[in-house]
């Protein structure tokens, strides 16, 4: 019989495999393919139980103050939403997830947390959707080695460097940038005009050229206004 240290985690497991009338056995954990654990702080004491869910394909989790090495026990993951508040997010921890297709990483309320070693993502050939949400700093130069990426979301950072690397995403279908300061929009020049843009950004007035946005057939400028040395820009997907 499995012992759970957090009632919410037990409920998440039971809901996944629809077992409500008896104790959970270790063999039951092999049937867990989806877990929603982002509505509560995941406890370190439950990690060994989580690692037994080796058939997991989809997981959301809010966790901090521990190593992310537990991910190596979950090699079948295809979709992962991680809220992490334990310190810098070292992306080498994700390189063991070679089946991963969608990755969302957030610093959550601890939005000063830096994202480091992002170059490790370049080995993940199945990863097509990547989201960086609420964080401290990140270097985007790794994107130059991921031309297969189809969706990229970057929002509410403290600092982003090498934004120009977004221009290497020649297979991109959706690009979302939120609450970011940009020198210019030149990184858009090499993207397909079919990319759907969703922006709420500020661009230096000297570097703002609206024609760089208007060529995207699936998006349109919904608001633009001058604010000191910056232009506040909102770009939204076109409504059908």
């Amino acid at each position: 019989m499995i012992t759970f240290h957090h009632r919410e985690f037990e409920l998440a497991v039971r809901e996944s495999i629809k077992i409500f009338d008896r104790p959970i056995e270790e063999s039951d954990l092999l049937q867990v393919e989806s877990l929603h654990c982002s509505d509560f702080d995941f406890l370190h004491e439950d990690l060994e139980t989580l690692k037994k869910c080796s058939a997991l394909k989809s997981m959301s989790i809010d966790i901090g103050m521990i190593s992310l090495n537990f991910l190596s026990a979950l090699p079948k993951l295809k979709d992962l939403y991680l809220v992490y508040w334990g310190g810098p997010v070292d992306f080498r921890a994700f390189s063991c997830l070679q089946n991963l297709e969608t990755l969302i990483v957030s610093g959550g309320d601890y939005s000063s947390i830096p994202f480091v070693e992002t170059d490790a993502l370049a080995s993940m050939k199945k990863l097509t959707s990547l989201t960086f949400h609420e964080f401290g700093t990140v270097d985007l130069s790794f994107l130059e080695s991921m031309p297969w990426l189809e969706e990229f979301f970057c929002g509410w950072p403290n600092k982003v460097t090498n934004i120009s690397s977004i221009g290497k995403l020649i297979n991109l279908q959706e690009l979302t940038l939120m609450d970011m300061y940009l020198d210019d929009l030149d990184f858009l020049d090499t993207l397909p005009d079919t990319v759907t843009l969703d922006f709420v950004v500020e661009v230096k007035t000297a570097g703002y050229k609206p024609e760089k946005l208007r060529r995207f057939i699936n998006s349109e400028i919904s608001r633009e206004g001058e604010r000191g040395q910056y232009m506040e820009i909102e770009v939204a997907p076109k409504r059908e």
Side-chain angles (χ1 to χ4, degrees), residues 75-103:
K76 294 185 179 181
L77 274 177
K78 291 185 176 182
D79 303 292
L80 175 60
Y81 171 34
L82 173 74
V83 180
Y84 185 69
W85 37 272
V89 179
D90 187 334
F91 280 79
R92 288 175 295 186
F94 300 98
S95 59
C96 60
L97 303 177
Q98 290 298 313
N99 289 305
L100 207 62
E101 298 173 1
T102 300
L103 175 60

Side-chain angles (χ1 to χ4, degrees), residues 93-234:
F94 300 98
S95 59
C96 60
L97 303 177
Q98 290 298 313
N99 289 305
L100 207 62
E101 298 173 1
T102 300
L103 175 60
I104 301 172
V105 184
S106 175
D109 293 336
Y110 297 84
S111 55
S112 62
I113 290 174
F115 290 174
V116 300
E117 303 294 344
T118 46
D119 287 350
L121 292 172
S123 69
M124 302 172 67
K125 304 299 184 181
K126 294 183 179 180
L127 185 65
T128 57
S129 179
L130 178 62
T131 294
F132 292 160
H133 180 275
E134 289 187 288
F135 58 93
T137 60
V138 72
D139 180 351
L140 295 184
S141 58
F142 74 96
L143 291 176
E144 298 184 13
S145 301
M146 298 185 70
W148 60 83
L149 206 62
E150 296 176 2
E151 300 177 8
F152 182 57
F153 181 117
C154 190
W156 299 280
N158 288 348
K159 183 179 180 181
V160 176
T161 59
N162 291 310
I163 291 174
S164 61
S165 298
I166 293 174
K168 300 295 184 179
L169 301 178
I170 57 175
N171 291 293
L172 204 62
Q173 297 177 15
E174 297 181 19
L175 175 62
T176 304
L177 302 177
M178 292 290 167
D179 196 21
M180 295 175 59
Y181 290 86
L182 309 175
D183 290 335
D184 54 55
L185 298 172
D186 293 351
F187 63 92
L188 296 175
D189 292 347
T190 51
L191 298 182
D193 60 10
T194 54
V195 175
T196 298
L197 304 178
D198 193 355
F199 287 1
V200 178
V201 299
E202 296 194 21
V203 184
K204 284 185 177 179
T205 303
Y208 177 54
K209 298 177 181 178
E211 62 270 18
K212 291 181 181 290
L213 295 170
R214 292 185 177 129
R215 76 176 181 88
F216 290 92
I217 59 177
N218 294 320
S219 304
E220 59 188 354
I221 299 172
S222 57
R223 185 176 69 87
E224 57 183 340
E226 193 167 356
R227 181 181 177 184
Q229 296 182 341
Y230 284 87
M231 293 289 292
E232 292 183 324
I233 311 300
E234 289 189 15

Side-chain angles (χ1 to χ4, degrees), residues 33-37 50 56-61 70-71 74 77 79-82:
E33 294 189 357
S34 178
L35 274 178
H36 179 63
C37 301
L50 176 62
L56 262 179
K57 294 180 180 179
S58 178
M59 179 175 69
S60 66
I61 189 168
F70 73 91
L71 293 172
L74 309 173
L77 274 177
D79 303 292
L80 175 60
Y81 171 34
L82 173 74

